[in-house]
Amino acid sequence: MIYWRIQMNQPDGRGGIQINSLDLLKESKPVIATGEWEDIQCEYFKGEHFNGIKTNDIILVHEGKTPIALCKITSDNFTDEELKNKYYHDNFRYVDVLGFYNGSVEFPATQGTIERFINDTKSRRFIQEFYQSIFKTKEMDDIIKVLTHKKQIILQGPPGTGKTRLAKQIAQRLCKNNKKDLFPYSDISKSLKNIDDLPSSSGRTKYTISDIRLDRCKVSLESGTSYDIPFNAIKKAINNKLWEGGQSNGYDSYTAAIGKYLFENLGQKNIETANLDDYKIIQFHPAYTYEDFVRGISVENNEDGKIEYKTQNRVLAEFALKALKNYNNFLQDKTTYTNEFLLNDYFNQFLDKVNDDIENNDGFYKLTKSVGITFLEEDAFRYKSHALGWNQNGNRMLFEDIKQAFLDGNVERQDLKHNKNLSGLAKHHASYFVRVLNLFQKFLNDKKLTFENKEIQKEPLKNYVLIIDEINRANLSSVLGELIYALEYRGESVESMYEINKSREIILPPNLFIIGTMNTADRSVGQIDYAIRRRFAFVDVLPKVLLEEELNTEDSKTKLYFKEDYFLKVQALFLNKAGGNSEYLSEEFNAKDVQLGHSYFIYEEGKFEYNLTYEIKPILREYVTDGILKASALKDIIDNL
């Protein structure tokens, strides 16, 4: 690749008229330009020198230390009177603008109009890194376009091409803009419950926190002065870092103090984990089943030591449920979302109270003389009677039934019995369910928790990415089951063979993306059938020569190198100079499916011998044993590496 740089903002040289380089690059057909000079730089531009600019060369447009854009030359030199009158230049060349610079690093070379870079200099490295970043971004953007259109893709290629690493980078890119509330009301409430005295932002005074509710708390001084502080005011204080100044009254100083405390105790932790839960990576293997991936039955010991069988969501169903909840929340109007958010928060507070009541009543919180709640499960109360005829473990009272009855305005037993939105057990045991419903209603009244004049910021739409490494190592038709349909018809429900909470429904929402990786050289696994292939887009990830800037980033702890000469020697086992299959490769294989990938040739200084001895040579010899490479490859190349 030939790299150049050009300055064209001073057509008459120093001290003359100045133009804006961007204007030339924003023409309907972008151009670069220079004057008519009797020097080698003009010869370079016009292509009159044997080392002059040629089509497809890469050129950086800059003004002094300021990089403007990176372009590819697409034409020979030409003259144009209209362009000359507009920009005062004599010679022009058409270019494709590969990318405008938006970084903060200054360009090293500042003197001269045109320069060709042959040797390894800071200026050449700057242009090369800029070019690679554009190319890499475009490559990833192209894959993301396919993924967002198809919803699921498989990155396929031979071993060592970085398929899993690329999948993670794509997932991080998709989830990068996911907006997470770093200070949700529930976290604020929980955090404030853990403190007794709170220092003011200056540290000279201490405040007392009390009456912590869903969306506000009370802050008091020893003098008795106090304020009700809404959590939305605290969030504003955090966003504006109110403790650093700008406090105009007592109310401000209180919110600043709480904001500072939360920022220091929750801020960094929440920022670091902001998007970690939005993508997940798992690995398939030959023994992987539907019960491992979608839904299955688990065996657990209950509190009485008895074995219990429970149907549970597995990786995909659980992740899909999380994405669906976000998707549905995003679609809701603000009032509905606020009420649902408040109901869940109020109900969680109610559960805390019930749990305390169970502990304070020797594990049996009475609903009637003989029936009571014994413990809380993840999604239900367990209630039972000491009377004969009851299941020893009792029955499950789903939280969702109580919340639904509340939303439907139920108050009495008969209301529940005729409510079509409730489960069969809720109707059958309405006399017990209504008691818990009434306890919840009383809790709201006692705590003065209302749904009026409340507005919670709506949840933004987020992306969720599930990475399935080695996707072809499992029997996909068996593992996916009925979800083969759901992959194609996003947002539509399919029925699982297992039921959870009286429902067999599973939905894959549009904001859930699936990335599979597949090793095309692995012949020990079954082929992917056509029904599944039709639902995935396949993207090739092939071996390539790596540049230093692709190996080492600002976060790199150890400097890495790429052994290009050995990469090319090994490549010759698979590809001939014309790009076709080499004489050493068996006719039944394609080079792109089996050639060793670039990661085998990445090494730390002085340690490539380990790659060669323990990774590269063994797999190449195995290729000969398996008939992928012919026996002549061993004698001609492999043994001589």
Side-chain angles (χ1 to χ4, degrees):
M1 187 71 69
I2 306 298
Y3 296 121
W4 296 81
R5 69 171 182 86
I6 186 170
Q7 296 192 87
M8 50 190 191
N9 58 313
Q10 297 181 11
D12 298 326
R14 292 183 183 177
I17 192 170
Q18 292 200 14
I19 61 171
N20 189 340
S21 303
L22 276 173
D23 292 339
L24 286 93
L25 300 178
K26 290 185 176 179
E27 285 283 333
S28 57
K29 289 185 69 175
V31 291
I32 58 171
T34 190
E36 186 64 46
W37 313 99
E38 292 183 1
D39 60 17
I40 194 170
Q41 293 184 55
C42 190
E43 290 179 22
Y44 278 155
F45 187 90
K46 294 163 71 173
E48 294 173 349
H49 191 279
F50 70 94
N51 273 335
I53 293 175
K54 298 177 177 61
T55 56
N56 295 322
D57 284 356
I58 304 300
I59 189 163
L60 175 76
V61 177
H62 70 106
E63 294 181 0
K65 294 183 178 181
T66 305
I68 305 296
L70 199 63
C71 306
K72 178 187 280 189
I73 308 295
T74 59
S75 78
D76 292 332
N77 182 68
F78 67 92
T79 58
D80 185 294
E81 284 301 315
E82 185 177 342
L83 289 173
K84 181 177 179 179
N85 292 334
K86 194 172 181 180
Y87 297 115
Y88 309 101
H89 280 297
D90 299 278
N91 299 290
F92 299 88
R93 291 193 111 156
Y94 289 122
V95 295
D96 281 340
V97 179
L98 301 177
F100 291 99
Y101 189 71
N102 58 6
S104 57
V105 180
E106 293 182 336
F107 182 59
T110 59
Q111 301 297 316
T113 303
I114 299 171
E115 185 176 2
R116 180 175 186 260
F117 295 104
I118 303 173
N119 299 321
D120 183 25
T121 62
K122 287 183 179 179
S123 297
R124 188 184 192 281
R125 285 198 297 273
F126 180 97
I127 299 173
Q128 189 177 49
E129 289 172 12
F130 188 9
Y131 177 75
Q132 286 298 325
S133 69
I134 292 171
F135 180 78
K136 196 170 182 180
T137 301
K138 183 181 182 304
E139 184 180 41
M140 193 174 292
D141 285 345
D142 289 343
I143 296 175
I144 288 174
K145 284 178 184 176
V146 175
L147 178 58
T148 52
H149 168 72
K150 192 72 175 177
K151 303 301 181 187
Q152 50 269 337
I153 64 172
I154 290 178
L155 304 177
Q156 63 175 5
T161 52
K163 297 178 288 295
T164 305
R165 181 171 179 265
L166 177 59
K168 288 179 181 177
Q169 290 173 335
I170 292 170
Q172 289 165 357
R173 175 82 74 83
L174 277 173
C175 297
K176 183 179 180 182
N177 294 324
N178 283 0
K179 293 182 180 179
K180 178 176 178 179
D181 186 356
L182 297 177
F183 302 95
Y185 284 9
S186 55
D187 280 8
I188 293 175
S189 177
K190 191 183 298 181
S191 183
L192 294 180
K193 286 178 182 177
N194 296 328
I195 59 174
D196 296 321
D197 295 318
L198 179 71
S200 66
S201 54
S202 65
R204 292 192 294 268
T205 312
K206 285 194 174 183
Y207 303 136
T208 302
I209 307 292
S210 62
D211 195 19
I212 300 168
R213 286 176 274 164
L214 169 76
D215 63 340
R216 63 191 60 239
C217 65
K218 183 175 285 187
V219 181
S220 309
L221 283 170
E222 289 182 358
S223 63
T225 305
S226 64
Y227 281 105
D228 243 16
I229 307 294
F231 288 171
N232 63 353
I234 295 170
K235 288 164 77 86
K236 287 180 182 177
I238 295 171
N239 292 333
N240 297 323
K241 292 192 175 180
L242 201 58
W243 57 89
E244 292 182 352
Q247 302 164 35
S248 59
N249 52 45
Y251 181 91
D252 280 354
S253 63
Y254 296 160
T255 55
I258 299 175
K260 182 181 180 185
Y261 171 81
L262 292 171
F263 183 80
E264 292 174 349
N265 288 274
L266 287 178
Q268 190 57 41
K269 174 188 169 187
N270 286 0
I271 289 168
E272 289 171 357
T273 60
N275 296 319
L276 291 184
D277 294 334
D278 298 341
Y279 73 91
K280 185 186 292 284
I281 182 167
I282 60 170
Q283 190 175 69
F284 275 5
H285 53 76
Y288 215 80
T289 66
Y290 178 93
E291 285 74 12
D292 297 314
F293 187 54
V294 185
R295 274 183 180 171
I297 297 174
S298 63
V299 181
E300 298 179 2
N301 289 326
N302 62 26
E303 62 171 7
D304 297 325
K306 303 292 184 181
I307 291 178
E308 214 173 353
Y309 295 93
K310 285 186 178 179
T311 305
Q312 287 189 335
N313 283 324
R314 301 303 189 193
V315 179
L316 180 60
E318 186 179 311
F319 210 50
L321 194 62
K322 184 177 180 180
L324 180 63
K325 183 179 179 183
N326 167 258
Y327 184 72
N328 287 338
N329 286 342
F330 172 74
L331 293 179
Q332 285 179 340
D333 64 78
K334 185 166 277 191
T335 301
T336 304
Y337 175 77
T338 297
N339 289 343
E340 186 177 299
F341 178 92
L342 293 172
L343 176 60
N344 288 330
D345 235 326
Y346 292 159
F347 199 79
N348 286 335
Q349 293 182 54
F350 173 64
L351 293 179
D352 289 340
K353 179 186 182 302
V354 172
N355 205 40
D356 290 341
D357 289 339
I358 293 171
E359 291 179 6
N360 295 332
N361 288 278
D362 299 322
F364 192 82
Y365 178 52
K366 287 185 177 182
L367 297 177
T368 68
K369 286 184 179 180
S370 60
V371 177
I373 299 172
T374 55
F375 65 95
L376 305 185
E377 294 182 345
E378 185 178 351
D379 60 346
F381 301 102
R382 272 285 180 181
Y383 67 103
K384 68 178 183 179
S385 171
H386 296 307
L388 293 176
W390 275 69
N391 185 320
Q392 186 174 0
N393 296 323
N395 291 320
R396 280 163 48 83
M397 183 185 296
L398 293 175
F399 299 155
E400 290 304 318
D401 276 331
I402 303 300
K403 288 191 278 189
Q404 187 63 54
F406 175 82
L407 290 173
D408 292 339
N410 294 173
V411 176
E412 299 176 353
R413 175 175 169 273
Q414 289 301 316
D415 296 335
L416 275 71
K417 288 186 74 69
H418 296 99
N419 190 334
K420 295 180 180 180
N421 295 325
L422 305 184
S423 68
L425 186 61
K427 297 173 186 176
H428 184 63
H429 280 190
S431 56
Y432 306 123
F433 276 66
V434 76
R435 282 174 167 80
V436 177
L437 171 63
N438 294 154
L439 286 172
F440 178 52
Q441 290 164 335
K442 183 177 185 302
F443 172 81
L444 295 178
N445 188 56
D446 291 345
K447 291 285 186 178
K448 296 182 174 58
L449 299 176
T450 70
F451 296 83
E452 298 172 3
N453 301 319
K454 307 278 187 180
E455 189 175 282
I456 306 297
Q457 185 176 355
K458 265 186 69 175
E459 186 174 337
L461 184 64
K462 297 166 67 175
N463 293 324
Y464 294 82
V465 184
L466 178 63
I467 300 171
I468 307 173
D469 200 29
E470 305 284 3
I471 192 171
N472 59 322
R473 291 191 64 80
N475 183 338
L476 276 183
S477 297
S478 173
V479 170
L480 290 173
E482 69 282 341
L483 290 182
I484 293 175
Y485 177 90
L487 287 172
E488 186 165 6
Y489 298 98
R490 293 302 188 96
E492 294 187 23
S493 67
V494 295
E495 281 202 4
S496 168
M497 63 183 81
Y498 295 101
E499 185 179 278
I500 291 182
N501 296 340
K502 307 294 181 182
S503 172
R504 296 181 182 272
E505 182 181 82
I506 295 179
I507 297 174
L508 300 186
N511 58 332
L512 172 62
F513 301 94
I514 298 173
I515 305 175
T517 69
M518 185 172 83
N519 184 351
T520 50
D522 194 342
R523 293 199 300 167
S524 65
V525 296
Q527 297 296 309
I528 297 177
D529 66 39
Y530 289 115
I532 294 173
R533 278 187 172 274
R534 188 165 61 82
R535 287 161 170 82
F536 283 86
F538 287 77
V539 178
D540 287 331
V541 183
L542 302 177
K544 62 180 180 179
V545 173
L546 297 179
L547 299 173
E548 184 181 333
E549 55 268 21
E550 295 180 84
L551 298 171
N552 300 291
T553 65
E554 294 179 359
D555 300 326
S556 300
K557 295 179 181 178
T558 306
K559 187 172 177 62
L560 298 174
Y561 301 87
F562 184 75
K563 201 73 169 173
E564 184 176 347
D565 54 345
Y566 274 78
F567 173 83
L568 296 175
K569 287 178 184 178
V570 172
Q571 186 182 64
L573 286 166
F574 303 91
L575 290 170
N576 59 32
K577 291 182 179 178
N581 282 6
S582 80
E583 60 182 291
Y584 300 107
L585 184 63
S586 175
E587 288 77 8
E588 60 183 291
F589 293 94
N590 287 319
K592 75 181 186 68
D593 292 334
V594 292
Q595 180 188 341
L596 291 200
H598 37 267
S599 67
Y600 285 95
F601 303 88
I602 299 171
Y603 67 100
E604 295 178 23
E605 189 172 8
K607 294 184 179 180
F608 180 70
E609 184 181 345
Y610 294 99
N611 297 36
L612 186 61
T613 305
Y614 299 107
E615 295 180 25
I616 297 171
K617 283 189 174 183
I619 195 171
L620 291 176
R621 288 180 176 132
E622 191 175 330
Y623 272 11
V624 174
T625 303
D626 291 344
I628 298 173
L629 291 174
K630 297 175 182 177
S632 56
L634 195 61
K635 181 180 178 182
D636 292 352
I637 295 182
I638 299 172
D639 286 344
N640 296 320
L641 283 173

